[in-house]
Amino acid sequence: MRFLFCTSFFIAILLTGCQSAKPKHLVPVTDDCTSLHIIAHHCTSLPTPFSFPTFEKALLKASLEIREHHLTGLVFIKKMPDAGCRIIFSNEFGMTYFDLEIGSDTFLVHYCFEPLNKKALWKIMETDLRLLFATEEASGETGKFIQKETNYLVFKNKQENLTRWDLFSSGGDTLVETRGRSNLADQVVITFTNYQQGFPSRIILLNSFVKIKLSLSLLSIN
Amino acid sequence: MHKLIFILALFSFGYSSAQHKPLDAVTIQRIKEGVSQVSKKTSTISSDFTQEKEMSILNDKIITTGKFYFKKDQLLRWEYIHPFAYIITIRGDVITILDEGTIKSFNTKSNKVFSEVNRIIIGSVNGTLLDDASFTADFNKNNSHFIVSLTPVSAVVKESLDRIAIYFNKTDYTVDKLEMYESAGDFTRITFTNKQINQPISDEIFILH
């Protein structure tokens, strides 16, 4: 059974290996706007992209669908002293599904209940969560674009293990979407909506081919 | 230093012994019969609940409150009120969730933890858990409660659940409190208050529209 599970993930990854996470209709821009003749109002200055305010801990309502598994409950996130995050997902009755720690160089699964305890799954989840928590610094090629249809500012960051695309509102003050694809895993799309006090109160992470959907609704943050 | 630790350990052992006293066979039998009789007479329960999840490593706690409804044989409704509005009903094998106006239903088999916790809660309420072969039971008491500690027999269950403590009210043998100790060190306490026993509860409240 474990072999079948791992094999099916591997085949899914092979089949989608060429699927790009790159948003469509991008026009490259430079800081001095030399190639930005299409969208003139950005030519004076390119906005500095927004980043989430810092927080110590957050509580979110969560729903995680992984193929036939449907898990609901609460996600508790606590920033750790080394700038990483501890993430605990438990069901409504308090029993823990998983407890993990993610930092720039670390990904530790402290606890995971048995049906979810699959190496292949956690490899994919690591990519997904690294995108969500932006744990990796840009380490390679970067790029700036405008998306023609939406006027979104799009930033590309090639990181050590994945390529991420962040789509900001045209004013640069709202992160709308993050897309990414690692060398190993399928593409991931994360949407951020319903902003309250600088935080998106609704986050949806979708890895459609391997059928992972994580929905988060913010309950409290401080 | 070692002496200090030994003294502290001795005091803490003395303290816990004073809090939870082991029971003799006659008292254990009396508890089982009391719980069984109350369970037979109980057709409905409604109560408020406070749920606290303590995360030992993070030194943090998540507290949720709401309303609990039970109707024989297997109807449960958990209505979370704070810090979020959220309703879960369980009818046999079917879990239905109402969240922000959206209803989702799925089978308990698609969520083994949920299924196991559901079995524990219903088993605690109707008393069947005390004789459940998948747990070994240890009986204690304090001033106000008979405390039954259940340790899972199955190695698979033990990986996530270390033990459950059920606090039966000494006066009426109903469940006042449930504590679920996870193997990783965290634990969840559910405290039931304002209990109403055998008040009419419509089947409708277990059906979410």
Side-chain angles (χ1 to χ4, degrees), chain B:
Chain B
M1 187 64 187
H2 286 278
K3 196 178 278 183
L4 180 66
I5 291 169
F6 175 74
I7 292 167
L8 285 173
L10 202 64
F11 270 106
S12 64
F13 175 75
Y15 176 76
S16 65
S17 296
Q19 294 293 306
H20 293 177
K21 291 176 183 164
L23 302 176
D24 57 64
V26 176
T27 313
I28 290 171
Q29 192 53 37
R30 187 159 60 85
I31 296 168
K32 284 187 176 180
E33 284 169 6
V35 170
S36 173
Q37 280 174 17
V38 167
S39 160
K40 280 176 191 160
K41 289 179 193 166
T42 303
S43 55
T44 68
I45 302 172
S46 64
S47 85
D48 297 332
F49 73 86
T50 301
Q51 183 177 306
E52 301 160 85
K53 178 180 171 68
E54 291 203 5
M55 293 168 287
S56 53
I57 296 168
L58 298 179
N59 198 22
D60 264 300
K61 200 188 267 192
I62 299 172
I63 300 175
T64 48
T65 58
K67 295 280 288 182
F68 167 84
Y69 301 90
F70 165 76
K71 189 169 185 177
K72 248 180 189 171
D73 282 330
Q74 291 204 336
L75 299 178
L76 277 182
R77 175 182 167 117
W78 294 86
E79 185 173 342
Y80 289 86
I81 295 168
H82 184 80
F84 54 89
Y86 190 82
I87 301 172
I88 303 169
T89 63
I90 304 170
R91 297 166 58 88
D93 285 339
V94 179
I95 299 169
T96 308
I97 291 173
L98 174 61
D99 182 20
E100 294 174 359
T102 305
I103 293 175
K104 281 184 184 170
S105 286
F106 53 96
N107 195 292
T108 52
K109 286 168 190 161
S110 72
N111 186 330
K112 286 183 183 173
V113 175
F114 213 114
S115 165
E116 190 62 18
V117 174
N118 180 42
R119 193 173 74 86
I120 288 164
I121 289 165
I122 288 184
S124 308
V125 172
N126 64 26
T128 56
L129 214 59
L130 302 189
D131 291 315
D132 191 322
S134 51
F135 294 95
T136 56
D138 180 35
F139 292 76
N140 292 275
K141 68 174 180 181
N142 64 15
N143 288 340
S144 51
H145 294 96
F146 294 120
I147 304 152
V148 183
S149 291
L150 299 167
T151 306
V153 173
S154 155
V156 176
V157 179
K158 265 185 185 169
E159 281 178 15
S160 52
L161 186 66
D162 184 55
R163 68 186 171 93
I164 308 156
I166 309 172
Y167 288 69
F168 290 99
N169 189 300
K170 270 184 175 175
T171 314
D172 62 10
Y173 291 99
T174 60
V175 178
D176 279 348
K177 198 160 59 174
L178 259 180
E179 289 175 346
M180 292 179 283
Y181 293 82
E182 297 179 55
S183 305
D186 295 351
F187 90 95
T188 300
R189 178 188 298 120
I190 304 174
T191 308
F192 299 97
T193 52
N194 301 325
K195 275 180 283 180
Q196 305 280 317
I197 309 291
N198 291 338
Q199 295 299 307
I201 299 177
S202 163
D203 280 4
E204 274 294 302
I205 73 157
F206 301 98
I207 301 166
L208 300 177
H209 301 285

Side-chain angles (χ1 to χ4, degrees), chain A residues 48-168:
Chain A
T48 305
F50 152 90
S51 59
F52 294 134
T54 54
F55 67 95
E56 277 184 31
K57 47 192 175 182
L59 183 65
L60 305 103
K61 206 162 35 165
S63 156
L64 177 62
E65 291 164 41
I66 305 175
R67 299 194 159 195
E68 74 275 17
H69 296 287
H70 187 114
L71 312 177
T72 58
L74 295 173
V75 165
F76 181 80
I77 302 167
K78 187 165 185 172
K79 281 278 173 75
M80 303 306 282
D82 63 355
C85 287
R86 188 80 177 248
I87 303 160
I88 298 173
F89 182 23
S90 56
N91 73 2
E92 290 82 355
F93 305 124
M95 298 294 293
T96 307
Y97 292 127
F98 60 75
D99 172 358
L100 58 90
E101 193 171 343
I102 185 166
S104 57
D105 300 320
T106 54
F107 185 80
L108 296 172
V109 180
H110 291 287
Y111 169 78
C112 175
F113 94 113
E114 191 49 34
L116 279 183
N117 203 5
K118 318 286 180 194
K119 201 173 174 183
L121 170 66
W122 282 109
K123 202 68 197 163
I124 290 168
M125 286 294 281
E126 178 180 353
T127 302
D128 296 358
L129 294 171
R130 283 199 182 286
L131 276 171
L132 179 58
F133 291 102
T135 54
E136 293 200 355
E137 296 293 326
S139 57
E141 176 195 352
T142 59
K144 295 173 187 173
F145 308 84
I146 298 287
Q147 191 174 44
K148 272 198 280 186
E149 288 177 343
T150 60
N151 271 5
Y152 286 159
L153 293 175
V154 180
F155 290 77
K156 176 189 177 186
N157 277 301
K158 179 89 176 100
Q159 300 168 342
E160 190 179 340
N161 296 310
L162 54 89
T163 303
R164 66 179 295 137
W165 300 84
D166 292 312
L167 286 72
F168 294 88

Side-chain angles (χ1 to χ4, degrees), chain A residues 5-47:
Chain A
F5 188 88
C6 294
T7 308
S8 58
F9 264 116
F10 183 65
I11 291 168
I13 290 160
L14 279 182
L15 287 172
T16 59
C18 297
Q19 196 170 3
S20 172
K22 183 181 178 180
K24 291 178 178 169
H25 312 300
L26 297 184
V27 179
V29 295
T30 56
D31 286 334
D32 60 2
C33 301
T34 49
S35 60
L36 199 61
H37 59 280
I38 296 171
I39 301 149
H41 70 270
H42 281 304
C43 283
T44 48
S45 63
L46 202 59

